[in-house]
Amino acid sequence: MGRFLDLTLAGLTSGAVYAAVALALVLIWRSTRIVNFAQGGMMMITTFLGCTVVSHGGSYWLALAVAIAAGLVLGAVVERVLIRPVAKRPPLDAVVVTFGLLVGLQGIAGMVFGGTPQSYPPAFSIAGFQVGGRQILFSPNDLWIVGVVLAVMVVLAVVFRRTSAGLRMRATAFAPEVARLLGVRVGRMLTVGWALAAVVGAVAGVLIAPSTFVSPTAFDAVLVFGFTAAVIGGLDSPPGAVVGGVALGLVLSFVSGYLGPDIVTLGALVVLIVVLMVRPHGLFGAGARRRV
Amino acid sequence: MTETQAPQREAPRAPLWRRSTLLRHACFAVLGLLGFWLLSIALDPFANLQLAQIAYTAIAVAGLTVLSGLSGQISLGHGAFVAVGAYTAALLLENAEWSLAPVLVVATAGTALVGTLVGVAAARLRGPYLAGATLALAVGLPSLADYHGLRDLLGGANGLIVSPPVPPLSLGETFPLERWQSWICGICLVVVLFLLANLSRSRLGRDMRLVREDEDAAALSGVHVARTQILAFCVSAGCAGLAGGLFAIVNNLAAPGAFTLALSLSLLTAAVLGGLGSLAGAVYGAVIVTLLPNWSTDLAQQADLPRAVYANIPLVLYGLVLILVILAFPGGIQSGVRRIGRLLRRNRKN
């Protein structure tokens, strides 16, 4: 029972991070109908920048700020330079471009930062809380991770539902042509959407870095998990991304605990295939426009 | 067969080899074999090894090009199929001690079967969903080799050692092993290209193109969309499996470290660079992605660059090539070759 509880708590923590990555993918999918396969690479670069700040004596908080700022710039630049030219072309083109960006970033990171994994300090203690004389697998740092992800979700929900910028972004995602006629600067909204998504990714990267270490390919698996979470929830739905992330975190934690940590990525593949076989558009996805 | 009717016609409009697709492809295949043979006896052992690598890479890329170019599906996980072929070949050669030809056939067929299973799932998926599922395949499947239940069978992270195929004694005792390896790969490549070229011209190939252009229209005109897509996956995975089997006997190894995301990526790069949907393009693409890492390493050593830099040059170049080709030259190399060919023909007519 204690083991089950530990695995559940660990699953909730990692699930929160997958939910954040999934949220970043969903933001981009909603606005541009593109799955950003470079998300893992963009996270990796911003986390490496944070890592550099820390290794030069900067604090955790300065590193977090640098990573967020870098994500903001990177997301906007990527949308303007790489995504806009392929936005109206067949979906295959966008897939190849974002995939190309992923490896390009991995190569550049390898050149600049080297291939050896670097450690990243946690924000708070990683020793588990004491509950009833027993140490559980949930630490102050895990609490921080879950708290930050919850805060990010609340902020995004408020921005989208309560502000006029959020309304314009939703209009852009929902009906770009109509939004343009009504005076929304659609292009600018898309850039903002990508920047916002990259910021969410940057935060997720800094949160997960202490447990995975940082290396050019460290986030390949995280990208797959984030994508799986987004698909479970339905690529269209932000609440779906959260539910999918937590569900996947729990499943993978049990896979790792009861079957062995080596096949966690394979576990994600199985979950992905099963969900897609049952519901090709995910749990919360709009099932409309199913072709033939 | 048009060639049997040809003598009855009064004035054939075109030479015989241009009228029969099968005959034309057979001519190309014979020329290809001849060219490959001449190349392999002219090159030294190291270059022959590279030739073998180019050949098996081209087989995998040709399969990918059928999948993406003809039927419009994408796979970011073809490296996983190469891994399945390589491990099948390694197990059969080392544990069951089969001879080479049946091993390659079983590696192809077995991987085609796996590809069919993936294809059944894939036929329900579109664009990004399919890309993501195949990406998960590429990242997830190699981890199976290190799973504790299978570690004894599959050799864990170190993988399986494969003993190289010995050249037959009739070729002489000093016949270089590398040339024999490149011959095996070259013959397989020519056979695969011959079969795929005919497939592309067949009714199935036409159906695939129709499905790629418009699924609704294809279904309305009586094409079984899902079956066509699954068949494309099956053929394409079979090619990757054969490439994997050849990989195992050329590199004498099947190990998870060889079938990373970077492998899937280099295959996709080759297909996009050569021109999606073109078999000739698959060969150009395979030549470039195979030689590129070697060239960049040589250049970097001459320029005294640190290891971290030159080890990553291929990755950066793959990324750049993928982005630039899609943004600037969507047809890849093959569309450039076609354009030059058209210009030359026009000039000759004038």
Side-chain angles (χ1 to χ4, degrees):
Chain A
M1 195 58 207
R3 184 165 166 72
F4 178 77
L5 184 72
D6 274 349
L7 291 176
T8 308
L9 288 170
L12 284 178
T13 311
S14 51
V17 180
Y18 304 154
V21 180
L23 207 55
L25 291 171
V26 166
L27 284 178
I28 287 176
W29 171 258
R30 272 163 68 95
S31 61
T32 40
R33 295 283 132 182
I34 287 171
V35 170
N36 182 16
F37 287 106
Q39 189 76 58
M42 290 162 68
M43 279 170 67
M44 178 267 300
I45 287 283
T46 54
T47 313
F48 254 125
L49 290 175
C51 209
T52 313
V53 171
V54 171
S55 65
H56 284 77
S59 70
Y60 181 92
W61 309 105
L62 182 65
L64 182 62
V66 166
I68 289 176
L72 198 67
V73 175
L74 188 62
V77 169
V78 166
E79 197 278 332
R80 279 281 148 128
V81 178
L82 298 180
I83 300 305
R84 197 154 293 187
V86 293
K88 292 214 161 33
R89 298 225 228 130
L92 195 68
D93 288 16
V95 169
V96 175
V97 166
T98 54
F99 200 48
L101 179 61
L102 170 67
V103 256
L105 288 175
Q106 286 185 344
I108 292 168
M111 283 182 180
V112 178
F113 303 105
T116 33
Q118 299 181 16
S119 64
Y120 198 98
F124 300 100
S125 163
I126 53 166
F129 286 112
Q130 297 283 337
V131 173
R134 186 177 161 277
Q135 198 174 33
I136 57 167
L137 213 62
F138 193 77
S139 65
N141 194 58
D142 294 335
L143 190 65
W144 157 249
I145 292 175
V146 174
V148 170
V149 173
L150 280 176
V152 166
M153 284 160 193
V154 171
V155 167
L156 282 180
V158 170
V159 165
F160 276 109
R161 296 193 178 276
R162 296 268 182 267
T163 67
S164 72
L167 181 64
R168 286 200 296 269
M169 286 177 70
R170 279 192 293 152
T172 303
F174 187 68
E177 298 309 322
V178 179
R180 196 188 307 274
L181 288 175
L182 293 174
V184 175
R185 305 275 302 259
V186 168
R188 185 178 295 174
M189 286 302 126
L190 293 180
T191 311
V192 172
W194 271 74
L196 213 58
V199 166
V200 175
V203 172
V206 169
L207 290 179
I208 204 170
S211 54
T212 59
F213 289 82
V214 192
S215 76
T217 56
F219 293 152
D220 282 359
V222 178
L223 171 70
V224 170
F225 298 154
F227 176 81
T228 309
V231 168
I232 292 175
L235 273 174
D236 261 317
S237 156
V242 177
V243 173
V246 173
L248 184 71
L250 289 174
V251 170
L252 294 188
S253 178
F254 295 138
V255 168
S256 167
Y258 293 122
L259 296 177
D262 328 306
I263 51 163
V264 170
T265 42
L266 199 67
L269 174 67
V270 173
V271 171
L272 182 66
I273 297 290
V274 169
V275 170
L276 283 175
M277 293 309 280
V278 179
R279 287 190 64 97
H281 292 270
L283 299 178
F284 294 74
R289 294 219 61 213
R290 174 90 182 91
R291 306 180 71 184
V292 187
Chain B
M1 288 294 120
T2 43
E3 64 259 46
T4 51
Q5 303 158 355
Q8 293 155 4
R9 288 199 191 155
E10 285 175 28
R13 273 151 296 184
L16 187 68
W17 65 277
R18 294 198 76 162
R19 268 179 288 129
S20 160
T21 316
L22 202 61
L23 193 63
R24 189 168 74 237
H25 290 160
C27 289
F28 275 128
V30 172
L31 284 178
L33 278 178
L34 196 67
F36 199 92
W37 178 69
L38 287 173
L39 202 58
S40 76
I41 54 172
L43 292 174
D44 63 52
F46 178 70
N48 258 303
L49 203 59
Q50 287 189 331
L51 194 60
Q53 289 169 341
I54 289 172
Y56 69 66
T57 309
I59 292 175
V61 177
L64 191 57
T65 224
V66 164
L67 185 70
S68 297
L70 280 187
S71 88
Q73 294 167 287
I74 192 166
S75 167
L76 303 184
H78 252 50
F81 294 130
V82 177
V84 173
Y87 272 100
T88 312
L91 287 173
L92 290 178
L93 279 171
E94 296 306 306
N95 295 5
E97 295 183 0
W98 287 23
S99 56
L100 188 60
V103 165
L104 290 179
V105 171
V106 172
T108 311
T111 315
L113 193 69
V114 175
T116 310
L117 293 179
V118 175
V120 170
R124 299 193 60 177
L125 307 180
R126 295 295 169 267
Y129 289 96
L130 180 56
T134 50
L135 180 71
L137 186 72
V139 176
L141 200 66
S143 70
L144 202 58
D146 210 16
Y147 178 54
H148 58 77
L150 293 168
R151 207 172 286 157
D152 290 338
L153 181 67
L154 299 180
N158 295 327
L160 300 170
I161 307 286
V162 181
S163 37
V166 218
L169 277 177
S170 54
L171 289 170
E173 290 194 2
T174 55
F175 192 84
L177 171 69
E178 290 83 358
R179 190 177 297 162
W180 179 238
Q181 287 169 322
S182 80
W183 280 14
I184 297 171
C185 296
I187 291 170
C188 290
L189 172 64
V190 171
V191 170
V192 165
L193 289 181
F194 175 73
L195 293 176
L196 290 182
N198 288 318
L199 172 88
S200 147
R201 288 299 182 124
S202 72
R203 179 174 170 178
L204 180 61
R206 237 176 18 245
D207 287 355
M208 284 181 187
R209 270 186 285 266
L210 199 56
V211 167
R212 177 193 66 195
E213 292 306 326
D214 191 335
E215 283 180 25
D216 298 331
L220 284 175
S221 51
V223 175
H224 197 303
V225 173
R227 191 188 299 153
T228 310
Q229 287 175 327
I230 294 170
L231 269 173
F233 242 100
C234 170
V235 169
S236 168
C239 293
L242 177 59
L246 295 170
F247 176 98
I249 61 161
V250 170
N251 300 296
N252 307 329
L253 183 76
F259 309 110
T260 53
L261 192 54
L263 173 68
S264 300
L265 183 90
S266 69
L267 296 178
L268 183 69
T269 309
V272 169
L273 179 65
L276 272 178
S278 145
L279 291 175
V283 178
Y284 309 140
V287 171
I288 294 175
V289 298
T290 311
L291 296 183
L292 194 70
N294 291 312
W295 288 341
S296 64
T297 311
D298 289 351
L299 275 178
Q301 272 165 349
Q302 282 162 14
D304 253 348
L305 291 173
R307 201 192 164 294
V309 172
Y310 73 73
N312 283 295
I313 289 177
L315 272 188
V316 175
L317 285 178
Y318 288 161
L320 272 180
V321 162
L322 281 178
I323 294 171
L324 287 180
V325 169
I326 288 289
L327 291 188
F329 319 98
I333 298 176
Q334 181 58 18
S335 78
V337 172
R338 285 212 187 102
R339 199 172 306 158
I340 294 171
R342 267 202 305 274
L343 279 178
L344 287 178
R345 245 172 284 153
R346 200 177 303 158
N347 284 349
R348 207 167 49 187
K349 272 180 195 159
N350 294 344

